[in-house]
Amino acid sequence: MEEPVAAMTGVVRRSVNRIAEAAVEAQALGIPAICLFPYTDASLKTEDCAEAWNPDNLTNRAIRAIKQAAPDIAVMTDVALHPYNVNGPDGYVGDGENGNDATCLALGQITLAPAEP
């Protein structure tokens, strides 16, 4: 499945199988790397952003599919909380306070999640 992103002419959202196919095409063209930016369904967004480090979230499933289909292409990911945050920001905020320590820990969890077995 491919779905156009209305705000970004020429950009589409792809299902996991379609992104794996695109990675094979990119690898064949000599493109060394791709970067994934997730779209998270609103029902999966929470204040604690736990979907971000779920080993079976969309990004992590896509990484596994890409590496199986095109093992030599590098996969970069957007390490961020905003796609998973029901409140929108890219970090934790509580009681009007900046939650840098908690945000840094969460970003670390996101970074490690793709390595989960």
Side-chain angles (χ1 to χ4, degrees):
M1 173 187 87
E2 289 188 0
E3 176 185 329
V5 177
M8 302 172 81
T9 304
V11 175
V12 296
R13 285 190 190 104
R14 293 187 169 137
S15 60
V16 170
N17 65 320
R18 296 288 294 165
I19 196 69
E21 292 169 6
V24 169
E25 291 174 23
Q27 185 174 286
L29 291 169
I31 297 170
I34 58 175
C35 190
L36 302 178
F37 294 89
Y39 170 79
T40 305
D41 187 89
S43 67
L44 298 172
K45 295 181 179 190
T46 59
E47 287 189 9
D48 68 357
C49 307
E51 182 65 14
W53 49 85
N54 174 356
D56 291 318
N57 72 20
L58 179 61
T59 298
N60 293 328
R61 289 192 329 267
I63 291 168
R64 289 191 296 270
I66 290 166
K67 294 310 284 183
Q68 183 175 19
D72 295 331
I73 200 161
V75 180
M76 299 176 289
T77 61
D78 184 28
V79 177
L81 291 175
H82 69 273
Y84 309 97
N85 192 333
V86 71
N87 297 316
D90 208 13
Y92 294 126
V93 177
D95 298 325
E97 294 292 319
N98 173 326
N100 280 342
D101 291 345
T103 297
C104 286
L105 290 172
L107 294 175
Q109 286 181 277
I110 294 169
T111 303
L112 294 173
E116 293 293 321

